[in-house]
């Protein structure tokens, strides 16, 4: 009789209860891990502070003290406090001397990578970006290796100079300038250095590695669709990729070009953005952004087309291999040169 009554229980409800209990446990485990991580990061900072405070400028004594502490602490607490790790704790304090500026969301592994950045401003930029975007250590390392900050600031600087000098407009730089980069590094596509792919193949490669592409795009992106159809009165048009940026509260249309940028590309994107704003964007959405990703940009097109209007149209180049520092410097040079020329023209006036 008891066996029969057990079979009458709702198995679907059993599963729902299990899922709910499991979610509770996972949430609690995550909270514990975050608390433990935060406590350990703070403890490592404090250990570094005490070592620096005790040694001051006495380098030789500092080495002696770290060796002494490593021997005793390793015997009591394990290899997590060996000479190398204690040295890293000292460097951690020296790199981030104010505890309140340390992001508790990041792990010790994040900080070991950040400490290798010699410039304080760069360290703080990547620390804040990693915390805000929830980058893994591997993602943080990739963004540093691909000069994420430099590419972002280069695009922002170019836009500001164009607005102030060439366009003679009073509009501020749009929020989109906070995530537009030039160039975009698509080394995750594993194209093996190929340059003979067409736009369809590039689009398919990006879809296959969508997560990595969204990381490269930047903050707050959600995928909407590919070959997204826009219906006009007599014809339909297809946008390569559409995303929604949650932070900017707007749609982002992306067109892929495996050749250099031309004026026709800008006109096409301008048309798509206008049509999308009119027929597809919601009343609460901010104006749509259009981004053309091309094999190389053209300064003339950028200066004498709708790209120069500061109205949400952008064009950036892309590379499919991880560039060296010298190669990226060369890629950023046209932008820097344009900024210098714009400043010179403004000063002459």
């Amino acid at each position: 009789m008891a066996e029969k009554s057990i079979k009458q229980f709702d198995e679907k409800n059993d599963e729902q209860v299990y899922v709910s209990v499991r979610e509770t446990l996972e949430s609690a485990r995550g909270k514990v891990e975050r608390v433990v991580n935060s406590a350990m990061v703070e403890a490592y900072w404090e250990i570094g502070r005490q070592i620096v405070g005790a040694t001051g400028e006495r380098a030789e004594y500092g080495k002696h003290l770290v060796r002494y502490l490593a021997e005793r602490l390793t015997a009591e607490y394990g290899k997590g406090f060996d000479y190398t790790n204690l040295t890293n704790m000292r460097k951690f304090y020296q790199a981030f001397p104010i505890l309140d500026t340390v992001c508790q969301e990041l792990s010790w592994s994040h900080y070991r990578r950040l400490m290798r950045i010699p410039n304080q401003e760069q360290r703080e930029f990547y620390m804040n970006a990693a915390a805000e975007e929830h980058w893994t250590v591997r993602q943080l390392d990739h963004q540093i290796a691909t000069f994420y900050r430099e590419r972002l600031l280069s695009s922002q600087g170019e836009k500001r100079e164009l607005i102030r000098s060439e366009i003679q407009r009073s509009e501020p730089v749009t929020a989109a300038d906070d995530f537009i980069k030039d160039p975009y590094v698509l080394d995750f596509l594993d194209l093996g250095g190929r340059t003979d792919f067409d736009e369809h193949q590039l689009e398919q490669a990006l879809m296959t590695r969508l997560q990595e592409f969204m990381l490269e795009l930047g903050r707050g992106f959600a995928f909407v669709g590919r070959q997204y159809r826009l219906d006009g009165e007599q014809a339909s048009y297809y946008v390569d990729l559409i995303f929604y940026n949650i932070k900017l509260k707007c749609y982002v249309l992306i067109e892929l070009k495996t050749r250099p940028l031309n004026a026709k590309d800008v006109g096409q994107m301008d048309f798509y953005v206008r049509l999308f704003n009119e027929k597809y964007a919601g009343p609460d959405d901010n104006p749509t952004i259009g981004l053309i990703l091309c094999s190389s940009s053209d300064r003339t097109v950028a200066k004498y087309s709708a790209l120069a209007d500061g109205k949400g149209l952008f064009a950036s180049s892309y590379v499919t291999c991880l560039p060296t520092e010298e190669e990226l410097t060369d890629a950023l040079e046209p932008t820097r040169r344009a900024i210098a020329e714009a400043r010179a023209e403004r000063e002459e006036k």
Side-chain angles (χ1 to χ4, degrees), residues 315-348:
S316 295
S317 59
Y318 64 83
V319 295
T320 57
C321 294
L322 184 65
T324 64
E325 185 172 0
E326 292 76 15
E327 290 172 337
L328 191 59
T329 298
D330 291 341
L332 295 176
E333 183 56 32
T335 294
R336 292 170 178 165
R337 187 166 57 250
I339 292 174
E341 292 173 356
R343 287 174 177 168
E345 290 178 8
R346 188 174 66 250
E347 290 172 358
E348 289 179 0

Side-chain angles (χ1 to χ4, degrees), residues 200-215:
H200 174 75
Q201 291 171 319
L202 177 59
E203 179 185 320
Q204 182 57 53
L206 290 172
M207 288 298 93
T208 301
R209 305 295 292 272
L210 181 60
Q211 183 176 4
E212 290 94 332
F213 182 43
M214 291 172 67
L215 174 66

Side-chain angles (χ1 to χ4, degrees), residues 214-247:
M214 291 172 67
L215 174 66
E216 175 63 11
L217 284 177
R219 297 173 290 181
F221 278 88
F223 179 63
V224 176
R226 62 185 294 193
Q227 292 301 310
Y228 196 95
R229 190 175 77 182
L230 306 181
D231 293 324
E233 290 185 3
Q234 300 182 9
S236 294
Y237 309 90
Y238 295 85
V239 182
D240 290 340
L241 303 170
I242 293 187
F243 293 83
Y244 191 85
N245 191 285
I246 299 170
K247 294 181 178 293

Side-chain angles (χ1 to χ4, degrees), residues 100-119:
D100 289 342
T101 65
V102 174
C103 293
Q104 303 295 330
E105 300 89 341
L106 300 183
S107 69
W108 176 236
S109 296
H110 283 94
Y111 283 109
R112 283 189 298 175
R113 178 61 185 92
L114 289 167
M115 284 185 290
R116 286 159 33 202
I117 302 175
N119 181 275

